[in-house]
Amino acid sequence: MTRAQQVGVIVGLLIVAALTILRASDPQLMRQAREVAFDEYQRLAPRVFQDVPVRVVDIDEASLRELGQWPWPRDRMARLVDRLWQMGASAIAFDILFSEPDRLSPRAVIRDVAGIDPSLLERLPDNDEIFALSMTDRPVILGFALSNEGNYRPEMKTGFAFTGEPPFHAPPRIQSATPLRPQLEAAAAGLGHISLNPGDPSAVVRTVPLLLSDGGQLYPNLALEALRVAQGGSTYILADAPDVADTITMIKVGEFVIPVTSSGELWLYVSPDRADRYISARTILSETGTSPEIAATVEGSIVFIGTSAAGLQDIRTTALGENVPGVSLQAQIVEQILSGQFLSRPDWADGLEILSIAAAGSLLVILTTFVSPAVALACGLLITALALAASWFAFIYGGFLFDPLAPIVSGSITHFAATAFRFLVIDRERREVRLAFGHYLSPSLLYRIEHTQDALRLGGDDRELTVMFVDVRNFTEISERLTPAAVVGFLNTFLDALSRHVIANEGTLDKFIGDSIMAFWNAPVDVSDHPGKAIHAALAMRETLARLTAEDAFGFGPTQTVGIGIGIHTGLACVGNMGAETHFNYSAVGDTVNIAARIESACKEVCFDILVSSSTADLAPQYALLEAGALTLKGKSTRTRTFAVVGDESVAKSAEFVDLKHEHGQLIEALSSRSPATREILRAAKTKGVGLPVDLAEFYRRISRRGDHFLKQATPAARVLTDGERLP
C-alpha cells in the first residue's frame, strides 16, 4: 500500500464516519426525504380498498346549498343522529367541534329580546338539550381538539390496561383541549381527539397519534374511540417494549390488535379517495326518506360525520398526493384496522440503515482505492439495486418501511469523494508513470510499476539485467540510396515493428539511437526468466524482419535486403531515473550495457545476426544455441564467450539441431586443439545445418577463415590468424 493510498483510505473512512454520524443525528432534511420515499411506495402500491362497514356522512357543498350555511342548528344534528340510529349504525362519530352554545337555538335567540318573560324562556326548546337527548344511550362519539389556552381536559369514558408500567410519557402531550358543552359531553358514549398530525409542519398526513397524554391520563383518537364503542368495549389494552420504559408497541381494541410506533402513532396506509365511501348529509336528512340501498349501506357501519366543504377548511393531503376531507382520514384509520393492512417502521430500522451506510461506504472506499473506480461504481450500482429491491419487497410483503435513500445517497457521496481523491492524488503518480513508461513497457509491467511505491524516484539501483542492442546492417549504404524523407520512413517502419517485440515480452524499451534499439529486462520491476524473454524477443525480430523484407515493406525492391545484428548480455547494471529533477529518463548504465553493445557489433565479425553472452546462455539453456567462440570486445581486456541463437525451444529439440550441436561440439574441440581433422568436421557441420530456420553457411564460412576465437588459451597475446591464413 502506497502512502497516497493510505491517506486515501483514511480520508474516505472519515467521510463515511461523517455521513454515518449525520444519519444517526437524522436531520429534518433526511426525514423529509425518507418520508417522500415512503409516499412514493404508497403511490406505487396503495392500500387496496375493501368494502368494510365504514362510511362518511359528508356535509358537502350540496348539503349546505340545500339546508343552509354552516353552522347548522343542533336540532338538525339530533335529527341526523336519529336517522343514522334508525338505519342501524353501529357507531356515530362526529369529526366536528361542539365547543360553544348553539346560537341558533330558540332559547338563545329569544334571550336577547328585551322584556321577555323568563318563564317563557324555560318553555322554549334548547337545541343542545335536544342534541344531547338524541345521543343518550346511543353509540355517539364526540371529538375534541388540542388547545393552547386553558386547562380543560375531557372526562374519559373508557379505561386503560397495561402489560407493564403505564407509558404516560410516550404519546404526544396534550396541554389543554377545546371544551365540550357539558350536556353533550355527558350524553356521549365516547370522546376522542380529532388531531391528525399535531406539531408536524408537513402538510401531508402520514402518521396519526392514536393516543395523547397529559402525563397521568391517556386520550384516544376519534377513530379508535369509534371502533371501541362499535364493539361495546370498555377498556384499551396497551403493550410496551420489554425493558424499555415509556414505549408502546401495540394497542388492543376489542378484537383488533393495532401495531403502533413507540409513541403510539399509526402509520397511515391509505387507499385512493372513492365516492362510494361518502353519503351526502342531505340524503340522510331528506324529508322523503332515504332509499333502501342507503339504509343497507349504513346498517352495521361505523359512521363518521364531517365536512368536505372547502370553506370549512378541513382538507388534508394524503401520501398519495390527494386532498381529502379530514373526516375521511378518520374513516381510513378504521378501514385500515378492520382490513388488517398495516405499515410499520421497526425500532431497529434506524440502526440497520446507519450500519448499512458505514458498511457500504467502507467497501466503496476500499474498492475505489485499491481496485478501480469502475469496479467500485459497479459495486455501488449493485448495492443501490439491492437496497431498492430490499426496501420495496419489505414494503410489499411485510408492510415494513426501510429508507432506501440514505444508504444510496451516502454511498454516492462516498464514491464521488474517493474517486476524486484517487484521481487527484493517488492516480497522479500513476499518470506520471504512464507518461514516462507508456511507450516503452507492456501493459502488465505498467500496472506493476503503478502499484510500486516511489517508482519514479530519481536515482539508480544495482540490478541483474538482460540488455539487448539491435542495429541495422549497412545502414550507411541504405541511407545514401534514399532521400531523407525515405530514410525517416524506413526507420519508423523498422523501429516500430521490432520494438513491439520488446514490449510484448515484458521488456523495457530504453531508447532509439539512430538506427539502433536499446532495451533491457528485469527493471523497473522483476521479470521472471528475463534472459529467455530477451532471446524470444530477438527471435521474433528475426521473423518480423524476414516478413517485412518478403512483403517489401521498406520499398527497396528485391535487390536490397535489410540485415540486423542483435547482441544480448546478462549481468549487473545500475538502472533508474537519471537526469535532472524536472527532466529525467529511465535508463541503465554500466559494464553490462557496454558488453551487450560490443556483442552486437561482433555480429559482423561472426557473420551471425543474434549473439548472446555466456552469462545469458547459461540462464536460457532451453534455446537452440551454438558456441560462437570467445571474442575480443572493444574496451575489454579479456575475451567474452558468445553463442549464436539458432532458434527457440522447438528448434532445440529437433533432430537436425541435435545432430548439428553434436557436430559443432566436435568442431570446437578440433579448433581448440588444432586437430588435423578440423576441415573434415567443419564440412560435416555445414551439412548438418541444412534445414534449420536460419542459414548457417556464412557463419561456418567465417569460422573456416578465422577460428582463433575458439583456441583454449585465448588471451590478448595469443596468436591471431590473418585473413589470408586457413585452418589446418
Side-chain angles (χ1 to χ4, degrees), residues 205-267:
V205 180
R206 300 183 176 93
T207 59
V208 175
L210 296 185
L211 298 170
L212 298 177
S213 173
D214 62 4
Q217 174 64 52
L218 298 177
Y219 301 87
N221 165 267
L222 180 69
L224 197 65
E225 188 74 340
L227 183 60
R228 178 190 68 81
V229 171
Q231 297 180 88
S234 60
T235 304
Y236 294 104
I237 300 176
L238 275 62
D240 61 354
D243 302 324
V244 182
D246 286 320
T247 60
I248 304 173
T249 59
M250 176 272 293
I251 301 175
K252 189 171 188 297
V253 187
E255 299 178 358
F256 298 95
V257 176
I258 309 166
V260 293
T261 67
S262 59
S263 60
E265 293 182 324
L266 173 71
W267 278 93

Side-chain angles (χ1 to χ4, degrees), residues 360-577:
S362 301
L363 176 63
L364 291 177
V365 168
I366 298 300
L367 290 176
T368 303
T369 304
F370 295 105
V371 183
S372 76
V375 173
L377 177 61
C379 184
L381 293 175
L382 178 61
I383 292 173
T384 297
L386 291 177
L388 286 172
S391 177
W392 172 251
F393 285 116
F395 173 80
I396 289 295
Y397 295 107
F400 294 111
L401 298 173
F402 295 116
D403 181 15
L405 293 183
I408 292 172
V409 173
S410 299
S412 300
I413 293 174
T414 300
H415 179 261
F416 175 80
T419 301
F421 185 89
R422 172 167 177 161
F423 179 79
L424 296 175
V425 179
I426 299 176
D427 285 352
R428 180 182 62 189
E429 181 176 333
R430 294 179 183 175
R431 288 194 297 272
E432 293 174 354
V433 169
R434 286 197 171 270
L435 183 62
F437 292 96
H439 299 292
Y440 311 107
L441 297 175
S442 66
S444 60
L445 284 183
L446 266 179
Y447 179 83
R448 290 165 62 186
I449 295 174
E450 288 173 351
H451 292 77
T452 302
Q453 191 170 2
D454 298 329
L456 292 182
R457 178 175 54 84
L458 193 64
D461 296 313
D462 290 337
R463 296 175 66 94
E464 183 185 69
L465 301 183
T466 296
V467 183
M468 170 192 287
F469 277 87
V470 183
D471 185 58
V472 179
R473 292 289 170 259
N474 302 320
F475 179 69
T476 302
E477 177 185 342
I478 293 173
S479 60
E480 288 176 351
R481 299 175 54 248
L482 302 175
T483 63
V487 172
V488 172
F490 161 71
L491 287 177
N492 287 340
T493 302
F494 172 82
L495 297 176
D496 177 71
L498 270 61
S499 62
R500 291 177 184 272
H501 296 298
V502 174
I503 296 175
N505 286 277
E506 299 187 20
T508 300
L509 193 59
D510 186 304
K511 61 176 70 72
F512 298 119
I513 312 169
D515 61 324
S516 301
I517 300 172
M518 175 183 170
F520 53 81
W521 277 257
N522 206 39
V525 291
D526 294 336
V527 176
S528 61
D529 188 27
H530 51 92
K533 289 178 179 176
I535 294 175
H536 193 274
L539 292 171
M541 290 179 183
R542 172 192 285 166
E543 294 178 1
T544 297
L545 185 62
R547 176 179 56 80
L548 293 175
T549 301
E551 296 172 355
D552 194 20
F554 304 121
F556 295 163
T559 59
Q560 177 68 57
T561 60
V562 178
I564 57 172
I566 301 176
I568 302 174
H569 176 58
T570 301
L572 198 64
C574 181
V575 61
N577 292 308

Side-chain angles (χ1 to χ4, degrees), residues 85-298:
W85 173 250
Q86 293 166 5
M87 293 181 190
S90 62
I92 304 167
F94 281 90
D95 188 23
I96 299 171
L97 298 178
F98 300 105
S99 302
E100 304 294 335
D102 185 2
R103 63 182 178 84
L104 299 178
S105 177
R107 185 180 297 176
V109 172
I110 299 299
R111 182 181 293 115
D112 296 333
V113 177
I116 191 69
D117 184 0
S119 62
L120 178 61
L121 287 176
E122 294 300 325
R123 294 195 298 271
L124 291 174
D126 182 85
N127 288 348
D128 285 329
E129 292 178 357
I130 295 173
F131 188 25
L133 184 62
S134 70
M135 292 191 295
T136 303
D137 297 328
R138 291 177 179 175
V140 178
I141 305 94
L142 298 182
F144 62 90
L146 302 183
S147 174
N148 295 325
E149 300 177 357
N151 57 3
Y152 168 79
R153 297 183 185 88
E155 188 69 29
M156 288 294 96
K157 299 177 180 292
T158 182
F160 291 88
F162 311 102
T163 60
E165 292 296 320
F168 289 135
H169 299 288
R173 297 284 293 183
I174 175 174
Q175 300 299 327
S176 180
T178 55
L180 291 169
R181 297 302 297 157
Q183 62 269 48
L184 300 182
E185 181 178 353
L191 302 174
H193 73 85
I194 62 174
S195 300
L196 292 173
N197 54 347
D200 190 342
S202 175
V204 180
V205 180
R206 300 183 176 93
T207 59
V208 175
L210 296 185
L211 298 170
L212 298 177
S213 173
D214 62 4
Q217 174 64 52
L218 298 177
Y219 301 87
N221 165 267
L222 180 69
L224 197 65
E225 188 74 340
L227 183 60
R228 178 190 68 81
V229 171
Q231 297 180 88
S234 60
T235 304
Y236 294 104
I237 300 176
L238 275 62
D240 61 354
D243 302 324
V244 182
D246 286 320
T247 60
I248 304 173
T249 59
M250 176 272 293
I251 301 175
K252 189 171 188 297
V253 187
E255 299 178 358
F256 298 95
V257 176
I258 309 166
V260 293
T261 67
S262 59
S263 60
E265 293 182 324
L266 173 71
W267 278 93
L268 278 181
Y269 192 8
V270 295
S271 64
D273 205 25
R274 299 169 60 98
D276 51 0
R277 181 178 283 134
Y278 301 90
I279 303 172
S280 177
R282 65 171 182 162
T283 302
I284 303 296
L285 296 172
S286 173
E287 295 298 334
T288 60
T290 56
S291 66
E293 292 79 7
I294 297 296
T297 301
V298 172

